[in-house]
Amino acid sequence: TRSAAAQVAQLCALVEAQLPETPAGIEPAVLEGVFLFALVWSLGALLPATSREKFSKVLRDLAAVPLPAFSPFELGFDQAERAFFPWSARVAEFKPAEDAPVERILVPTADTERLGCLLRLLQLRGTPALLLGETGASKTAVVKNYLAALDSGRNSVLNVNFSARTGSIDLQRAIEGPCDKRRPGQYGPRGGKKLVVFIDDLHMPRADKYGTQEPHALLKLLLEKGYVYERGGGLERRQYRDLLFIACAQPSSAGAQPLDARLTRLFSAVEVNSPDEECTAGIFTTLLMRHLDKFPNETKALVPGLASATARFNSLTAARLPRTPVKFHYVFNLRDVARVFQGLLRANLTNFSKPEQLLRLWKHELQRVYADRLADEADLAALMEPLPKLVSTTFGENFVEFM
């Protein structure tokens, strides 16, 4: 949860980022659209998927302009057109690098376009951004995709990965590394650039005996006051300029340590929901179709079914085999789907040109990724039980014999 003051501050930051410095003369319809977009991604930014429908209904009742049939969370606002648009209509064409490993490929979706836009708006205002989401929600991939598109002539990037052993001195040394002294007491990135500091796994540092997480205390001081003190020596107070911050973390609802509210209030926070089955299937259909481009058409025809069946299998597994204190490693998410397709992307035309050969490979990858992690035979039986029905429903009865 976040305080009302923090949510209103996030609302104001998003409104100001979309308007010119002198907003006089802006049409009321444009101002209304800008405000509604900011309202969704401030007051509604941390809502889980189950609560967004209720929020959307209230927003539609309050809005003075008509909204498209889509959920407000799926809409952006185009000031030039004076109209809302679905993010799915702005998805860029997928152009992956040749031979790029699957874990480094980000297929553009409506979610990645929307989050990229929010990061750009918040960075325009110099507002620290925090993406919250469970493991496998593609938070890190979205941020790295955004950072890769920045103008390297104006921005430099610093990646900092927090762990349970990260201390305040580690964070301070990381930030001091790419910065130079500009004048007495003032420091900033080299070359007159802005330094975008990306902190991954913000929730990870271990609390000391007083309940304080040292890196969080230092980060709070830097964000709130703009300075830190020299370690050792004369304890010089060092003011830092031209620093921008983006962080990713897991919410406490996912079992992570709760983040200090005094720190999170300094960020504009957005909940990143894991892709649903339809979105997941679309992502991996695109990847596998590209790899199987020269395969027979009858084999390529299996690809949409393989993607949707894998996404469904992952959801069923997460529901049937929940994490427990003893089986704490039972965490099934988008990363596991990616590992299955990482194996499928090794299929070659010599050995897997027939549909049944590709289907057997798919079953093998499911067992490699999911079954090899299970603790006992009962869980293995629960894992494999829905597979024949899933294959029958997706591909037809003729393919069940290959399972």
Side-chain angles (χ1 to χ4, degrees):
T1 58
R2 279 163 63 80
S3 67
Q7 294 181 60
V8 171
Q10 184 167 331
L11 169 66
C12 293
L14 287 171
V15 170
E16 290 174 358
Q18 297 178 79
L19 297 178
E21 293 185 4
T22 54
I26 291 183
E27 296 182 16
V30 173
L31 196 58
E32 172 87 3
V34 166
F35 176 77
L36 289 176
F37 177 79
L39 190 67
V40 169
W41 293 108
S42 53
L43 273 62
L46 294 182
L47 291 178
T50 53
S51 300
R52 289 184 172 184
E53 186 176 345
K54 296 179 181 178
F55 181 88
S56 300
K57 185 178 184 305
V58 173
L59 188 69
R60 288 182 182 280
D61 293 339
L62 295 175
V65 296
L67 296 175
F70 296 85
S71 164
F73 291 91
E74 299 175 1
L75 298 174
F77 183 73
D78 190 322
Q79 295 188 44
E81 298 290 335
R82 301 176 179 81
F84 287 92
F85 62 88
W87 285 108
S88 55
R90 301 290 178 94
V91 176
E93 183 182 355
F94 177 52
K95 295 180 179 179
E98 290 296 329
D99 300 323
V102 66
E103 65 272 14
R104 295 186 181 179
I105 295 175
L106 182 69
V107 178
T109 65
D111 290 334
T112 62
E113 293 296 317
R114 176 172 57 247
L115 290 170
C117 173
L118 289 171
L119 288 174
R120 285 192 296 273
L121 291 174
L122 293 172
Q123 295 293 285
L124 281 174
R125 292 289 305 159
T127 305
L130 173 62
L131 301 187
L132 291 166
E134 296 185 1
T135 301
S138 299
K139 305 181 297 296
T140 302
V142 168
V143 174
K144 288 190 173 181
N145 183 65
Y146 166 76
L147 295 176
L150 292 176
D151 182 358
S152 59
R154 297 182 178 181
N155 302 278
S156 54
V157 175
L158 172 65
N159 292 293
V160 182
N161 287 81
F162 277 6
S163 71
R165 299 178 63 87
T166 302
S168 60
I169 186 64
D170 301 312
L171 176 60
Q172 184 165 342
R173 285 173 176 166
I175 292 175
E176 287 176 346
C179 293
D180 283 336
K181 188 174 185 178
R182 292 181 173 178
R183 59 176 64 94
Q186 188 177 114
Y187 292 76
R190 298 187 185 97
K193 298 181 179 181
K194 291 185 181 294
L195 178 65
V196 184
V197 182
F198 172 41
I199 302 175
D200 204 4
D201 293 330
L202 181 66
H203 61 281
M204 283 294 291
R206 183 172 51 216
D208 59 24
K209 63 180 180 179
Y210 304 105
T212 302
Q213 293 164 287
E214 286 185 14
H216 291 182
L218 181 77
L219 185 59
K220 177 179 177 295
L221 175 65
L222 185 57
L223 292 177
E224 194 168 35
K225 305 296 185 181
Y227 62 78
V228 296
Y229 288 93
E230 177 190 12
R231 299 296 181 103
L235 297 178
E236 175 191 24
R237 190 174 84 170
R238 296 180 169 180
Q239 195 87 25
Y240 280 87
R241 305 287 187 185
D242 298 327
L243 299 185
L244 302 171
F245 289 87
I246 302 175
C248 291
Q250 291 184 35
S252 57
S253 60
Q257 298 182 80
L259 294 171
D260 186 351
R262 293 175 297 175
L263 173 64
T264 57
R265 70 178 176 83
L266 302 173
F267 285 86
S268 287
V270 176
E271 178 84 11
V272 182
N273 293 312
S274 297
D276 58 22
E277 290 182 18
E278 182 181 355
C279 182
T280 300
I283 291 171
F284 290 101
T285 295
T286 303
L287 285 174
L288 192 54
M289 273 295 194
R290 172 177 168 267
H291 177 73
L292 303 182
D293 182 53
K294 296 181 180 179
F295 279 57
N297 289 334
E298 60 179 359
T299 303
K300 290 193 291 185
L302 290 182
V303 172
L306 288 174
S308 62
T310 308
R312 184 60 186 154
F313 184 83
N314 182 76
S315 299
L316 290 172
T317 302
R320 295 164 72 92
L321 301 173
R323 179 169 52 174
T324 67
V326 175
K327 301 170 182 177
F328 56 87
H329 61 291
Y330 279 23
V331 180
F332 306 101
N333 52 45
L334 189 64
R335 290 181 180 175
D336 298 295
V337 179
R339 292 185 185 109
V340 171
F341 277 83
Q342 193 168 22
L344 292 176
L345 289 171
R346 295 178 181 273
N348 56 56
L349 194 55
T350 303
N351 299 315
F352 300 99
S353 61
K354 297 180 180 179
E356 58 269 24
Q357 293 173 327
L358 188 62
L359 203 61
R360 288 194 181 103
L361 176 62
W362 175 68
K363 180 187 177 182
H364 167 78
E365 292 303 315
L366 290 181
Q367 292 175 319
R368 178 182 67 84
V369 173
Y370 292 93
D372 287 359
R373 292 159 57 186
L374 303 184
D376 51 50
E377 292 294 331
D379 287 349
L380 178 60
L383 174 77
M384 302 307 291
E385 180 186 352
L387 191 58
K389 183 178 179 180
L390 184 61
V391 171
S392 174
T393 303
T394 307
F395 304 105
E397 290 287 346
N398 295 338
F399 287 95
V400 175
E401 62 179 291
F402 303 117
M403 292 293 104

